Amino acid sequence: MFTGIVHAVGKIVSVRPFVVDAGKLPLSDLKVGDSVCVQGACLTVTNKRGRRLSFDVSHETLECTSGLERPGPVNLEKALRLADRLGGHLVTGHVDGVGHLVQAKGSVYTFRAPKSVARYVAPKGSICIDGVSLTVNRVRGADFEVNLIPHTLKVTTLARLKPGAEVNLEADLLARYAERRVPPN
């Protein structure tokens, strides 16, 4: 379980084997077997050598995500401990689908979600984009808007996004459970 509050930006240095340079992510308490959210996907540490972390990445994970198939910068977050503050929202690290940036006007970014994810996106609800917890401002069909403040752009990979860029989306966990509790019409 994660919060969507990015701890550091690292860099994929190798895809096969999958190795990430952890950047400024604190590693003193991280060990083999621990979970790390890498660009929105929960991965298990299989090796730790200096600042480099290795992970096994399944074909399924590569099929339902974007940005893990090539070297480049990635958002990193260590798993939540029960005593930690929940600064974002509950994030599982299970990517629900790949969306894309439609446009960016100032701090307002418009994304389009696939239909399977769009049904869970609600105004003032939460969405996780590339591992970053964000609040949804407006929703129009499959399109939704978020505000990206300068701090978020500075400490995540989101500043690199240009229209058309693919992003990993995780719908709000509570919205998914609420749907299961409400009988269909």
Side-chain angles (χ1 to χ4, degrees):
M1 193 65 71
F2 306 93
T3 66
I5 303 298
V6 172
H7 294 158
V9 172
K11 183 178 180 180
I12 298 173
V13 294
S14 170
V15 176
R16 286 192 176 82
F18 194 83
V19 179
V20 173
D21 181 299
K24 295 181 180 180
L25 185 71
L27 298 179
S28 62
D29 62 341
L30 193 70
K31 60 187 182 311
V32 170
D34 286 350
S35 295
V36 175
C37 189
V38 179
Q39 204 65 4
C42 176
L43 301 178
T44 302
V45 177
T46 58
N47 193 6
K48 178 181 165 188
R49 180 169 288 145
R51 304 286 317 149
R52 298 217 167 169
L53 303 174
S54 298
F55 304 89
D56 288 332
V57 180
S58 71
H59 178 72
E60 171 68 18
T61 298
L62 292 173
E63 284 292 311
C64 70
T65 62
S66 177
L68 300 182
E69 71 283 355
R70 62 187 175 282
V74 287
N75 294 317
L76 301 173
E77 180 187 356
K78 293 190 292 187
L80 178 67
R81 296 175 300 199
L82 287 178
D84 289 345
R85 290 183 179 176
L86 186 61
H89 72 280
L90 294 175
V91 174
T92 63
H94 302 159
V95 174
D96 292 312
V98 174
H100 68 275
L101 178 63
V102 175
Q103 69 178 5
K105 286 187 176 179
S107 66
V108 178
Y109 284 59
T110 303
F111 293 90
R112 181 163 297 138
K115 187 176 181 181
S116 60
V117 178
R119 67 186 209 222
Y120 299 115
V121 181
K124 305 307 176 206
S126 298
I127 186 91
C128 193
I129 300 176
D130 282 349
V132 181
S133 173
L134 296 165
T135 301
V136 176
N137 293 324
R138 287 178 190 76
V139 179
R140 281 184 232 86
D143 291 358
F144 65 93
E145 294 177 358
V146 297
N147 278 315
L148 293 180
I149 63 172
H151 176 77
T152 300
L153 292 171
K154 180 179 176 184
V155 300
T156 71
T157 63
L158 298 181
R160 69 172 168 71
L161 296 177
K162 304 287 184 235
E166 292 185 331
V167 293
N168 295 322
L169 299 175
E170 180 180 331
D172 182 64
L173 182 64
L174 298 177
R176 290 189 302 209
Y177 282 116
E179 180 187 53
R180 298 277 302 162
R181 299 291 302 157
V182 176
N185 293 339

